């Protein structure tokens, strides 16, 4: 009879946690490159055995974490241990970062990232690939936020709190918290041991055992103790953190405490169903002062849906707030916080400067999603459109527009004026205005003739077939 002793199992691989010892360096473009071949980025598949690759990735992440931590220190961010008040780093805790003089700020921005990411990281694929450390981490984001004004009457930069939704599993031997993925890549008794058992008593972090508990701890313990009494609060929530933050705020008792402080909120990749809204105050806030970014092929900032969904969109866009495209280049959730930064920061600054008077623009969804105009009905549809020219759509989508509808503003349907915005002011530069100038950035919309035909013709659709030009310029029928 054969048996294998525990001592006969292969030892778990060990790698250094220093970037240079791992064979990498940060070049002049802030990108991590191989020491042996500076043209190469980090390569995960260095071994045929996945355990070796995972252990090497774990060490690489630790090395990157040290770099990000040093850069947070350089930006003046204070390291705070939770549960709030923890001072012993050997006790179970989760770290967050807070900008200096938070109690003196009239506006505070809290960032909740997806629970799959390590602290301070937005996308490892950007950090150790094309883009670099600052772009793939929170460093570029916080630097941009520090350039903003707190309000129209306060030109000083806002305070910043970076929450830690990912590292909520305490690693006793390492005296630090880990992500759900990282916990399985810590040193094991052998290379063939399967993961690490979760012991609530040893691995749980008090008041921060789950992402929802962590969000609650930030709102109920950290912010009341560290921010000013009259300060306004902006929230940026990415990935599944969005759902947890919304679930926490969607409560009458909670909203009674924090509702007056909430200034704006940006949701990136969230899927919280507005059918679950039970707090009317939060529901109104979502509609008027929250925006979401969703992955779509349209250009960045293109309106996709209003608060109550867009029936023209094939996927669910019912988020309880206006939804915008994250841009053509954004394909995965972890890239949302990077790809949407220009639009997100501009919008959040606009809300802060306009103050209490700000309300989200109104969307108008056009067309009947349940009907398709046959080719022999195009002329009839064209004639009908010429009678009613008040349809407004966003470029490239045919979905909705960031402008008030004629019905909402009391404008006469079919008139040349698109109508006034919610605040009663005429939309500057509306296409329907007498000067015919293009809309400003925050009014991206164009008047379109024939909601289906016009867009079809723009793509080369004709009554007798679909035409396109070949390389010689000849029209070909497909």
């Amino acid at each position: 009879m054969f048996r294998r002793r525990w001592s006969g199992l292969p030892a778990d691989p060990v790698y250094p946690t220093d970037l240079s010892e791992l064979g990498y360096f940060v070049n002049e473009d802030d990108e991590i490159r191989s020491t042996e071949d500076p043209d190469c980025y980090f390569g995960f598949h260095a071994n045929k055995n996945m355990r070796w690759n995972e252990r090497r990735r774990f060490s690489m992440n630790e090395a990157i974490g040290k770099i990000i931590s040093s850069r947070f220190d350089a930006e003046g961010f204070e390291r705070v241990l939770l549960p709030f008040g923890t001072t012993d780093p050997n006790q179970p805790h989760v770290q967050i970062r807070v900008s200096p003089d938070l109690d003196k700020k009239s506006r505070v921005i809290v960032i909740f990232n997806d629970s799959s990411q390590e602290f301070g990281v937005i996308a490892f694929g950007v950090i150790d690939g094309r883009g670099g450390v600052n772009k793939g981490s929170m460093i570029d984001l916080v630097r941009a936020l520090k350039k903003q004004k707190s309000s129209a009457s306060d030109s000083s930069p806002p305070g910043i709190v970076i929450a830690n939704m990912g590292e909520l599993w305490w690693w006793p031997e390492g005296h630090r918290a880990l992500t759900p993925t990282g916990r399985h890549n810590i040193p094991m008794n052998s290379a063939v041991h399967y993961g690490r058992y979760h012991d609530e008593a040893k691995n749980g972090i008090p008041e921060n055992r789950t992402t929802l508990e962590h969000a609650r701890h930030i709102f109920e313990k950290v912010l009341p103790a560290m921010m000013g009494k009259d300060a306004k609060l902006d929230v940026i929530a990415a990935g599944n953190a969005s759902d947890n933050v919304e679930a926490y705020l969607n409560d009458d008792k909670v909203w009674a405490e924090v509702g007056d402080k909430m200034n704006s909120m940006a949701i990136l990749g969230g899927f919280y169903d507005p059918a679950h809204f039970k707090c009317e105050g939060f529901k109104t806030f979502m509609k008027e002062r929250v925006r979401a970014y969703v992955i779509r092929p349209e250009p960045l900032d293109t309106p996709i849906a209003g608060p109550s969904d867009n029936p023209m969109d094939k996927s669910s866009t019912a988020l309880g707030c206006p939804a915008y495209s994250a841009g053509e280049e954004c394909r995965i959730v972890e890239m949302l916080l990077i790809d949407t930064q220009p639009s997100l920061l501009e919008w959040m600054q606009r809300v802060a400067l306009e103050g209490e008077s700000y309300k989200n623009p109104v969307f108008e969804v056009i067309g009947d999603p349940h009907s398709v105009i046959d080719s022999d009905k195009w002329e009839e549809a064209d004639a009908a459109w010429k009678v009613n020219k008040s349809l407004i759509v966003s470029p490239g989508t045919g979905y909705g527009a960031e402008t008030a509808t004629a019905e909402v503003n009391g404008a006469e349907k079919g008139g040349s004026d698109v109508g006034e915005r919610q605040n009663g002011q005429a939309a500057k530069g509306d296409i329907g205005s007498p000067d015919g100038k293009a809309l400003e950035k925050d009014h991206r919309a164009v008047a379109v003739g024939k909601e289906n035909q016009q867009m079809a013709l723009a793509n080369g659709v004709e009554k007798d077939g679909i035409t396109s030009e070949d390389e010689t310029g000849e029209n070909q029928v497909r």
Side-chain angles (χ1 to χ4, degrees), residues 21 38 72 148 208 218 229 240 285 292 336 373 396 399 401 477:
E21 293 180 23
F72 274 129
Q148 291 199 349
N208 292 270
I218 293 290
K229 182 179 179 181
N240 60 6
F285 172 74
L336 283 168
I373 301 178
Y399 294 161
V477 177

Side-chain angles (χ1 to χ4, degrees), residues 257-280:
E257 293 292 329
V258 303
D260 291 340
K261 296 181 178 295
M262 293 296 293
N263 189 52
S264 69
M265 183 164 68
I267 296 172
L268 299 93
F271 291 99
Y272 194 76
D273 192 341
H276 297 156
F277 289 169
K278 58 184 180 181
C279 175
E280 287 300 320

Side-chain angles (χ1 to χ4, degrees), residues 353-427:
L353 294 178
E354 291 189 23
E356 297 295 333
S357 64
Y358 177 86
K359 287 186 179 180
N360 282 327
V362 176
F363 285 93
E364 178 182 3
V365 178
I366 66 172
D368 181 1
H370 303 293
S371 67
V372 177
I373 301 178
D374 297 329
S375 58
D376 59 350
K377 299 279 184 72
W378 284 355
E379 292 184 1
E380 180 181 342
D382 185 30
W385 176 83
K386 290 179 179 179
V387 176
N388 178 13
K389 296 183 179 181
S390 65
L391 299 178
I392 304 296
V393 300
S394 57
T397 64
Y399 294 161
E402 201 174 306
T403 183
T405 65
E407 288 77 11
V408 170
N409 295 287
E412 182 179 354
K413 191 173 182 180
S416 62
D417 189 12
V418 174
E420 297 179 348
R421 290 177 60 84
Q422 283 182 317
N423 60 9
Q425 299 298 319

Side-chain angles (χ1 to χ4, degrees), residues 8-250:
L9 297 176
D12 210 21
V14 177
Y15 291 95
T17 57
D18 181 83
L19 197 65
S20 60
E21 293 180 23
L22 284 167
Y24 292 89
F25 72 102
V26 180
N27 69 5
E28 63 277 4
D29 297 322
D30 200 35
E31 294 183 342
I32 295 177
R33 300 293 185 94
S34 169
T35 304
E36 293 183 358
D37 187 353
D39 290 333
C40 293
Y41 297 106
F42 173 76
F44 175 77
H45 296 284
N47 194 291
K48 292 183 178 180
N49 191 303
M50 284 300 294
R51 180 59 184 172
W52 266 251
N53 293 330
E54 290 165 353
R55 288 286 296 129
R56 181 167 169 268
R57 170 83 261 186
F58 181 82
S59 296
M60 185 69 173
N61 289 355
E62 284 199 287
I64 292 173
K66 294 176 182 178
I67 296 174
I68 295 175
S69 181
S70 66
R71 296 187 182 187
F72 274 129
D73 291 338
E75 293 294 326
F77 277 72
E78 176 188 355
R79 186 170 180 260
V80 178
L81 307 183
L82 307 183
F84 191 71
T86 301
T87 56
D88 185 357
N90 294 321
Q91 293 299 313
H93 68 267
V94 54
Q95 68 158 329
I96 64 171
R97 289 279 185 161
V98 177
S99 62
D101 301 325
L102 198 68
D103 59 330
K104 300 178 182 179
K105 301 296 183 179
S106 62
R107 175 178 163 225
V108 175
I109 302 171
V110 185
I111 306 171
F112 294 93
N113 201 9
D114 190 86
S115 66
S116 65
Q117 298 294 352
E118 298 194 12
F119 181 68
V121 172
I122 299 177
F124 271 119
V126 176
I127 291 177
D128 53 27
R130 183 174 299 175
V133 178
N134 286 346
K135 182 177 181 180
S137 68
M138 296 283 183
I139 302 300
D140 271 357
L141 176 60
V142 299
R143 286 177 177 174
L145 289 172
K146 289 168 70 174
K147 296 177 181 179
Q148 291 199 349
K149 297 179 180 180
S150 291
S151 66
S153 59
D154 183 1
S155 61
S156 65
I160 303 171
V161 175
I162 304 176
N164 191 350
M165 300 288 265
E167 298 177 340
L168 302 179
W169 190 87
W170 180 249
W171 179 24
E173 297 86 351
H175 303 294
R176 53 171 291 203
L178 300 173
T179 63
T181 302
R183 58 174 280 203
H184 294 294
N185 297 330
I186 62 176
M188 301 289 180
N189 292 334
S190 77
V192 295
H193 272 69
Y194 187 76
R196 180 74 172 261
Y197 175 76
H198 175 75
D199 186 331
E200 187 64 37
K202 294 180 179 180
N203 307 123
I205 300 176
E207 301 180 58
N208 292 270
R209 290 179 173 83
T210 67
T211 51
L212 184 58
E213 280 192 13
H214 182 65
R216 180 182 295 112
H217 196 73
I218 293 290
F219 278 102
E220 297 181 3
K221 297 294 180 67
V222 177
L223 296 179
M226 301 196 72
M227 66 183 283
K229 182 179 179 181
D230 299 323
K232 290 295 183 179
L233 195 59
D234 291 329
V235 174
I236 300 174
N240 60 6
S242 303
D243 296 352
N244 286 279
V245 172
E246 288 183 72
Y248 170 73
L249 294 174
N250 183 30

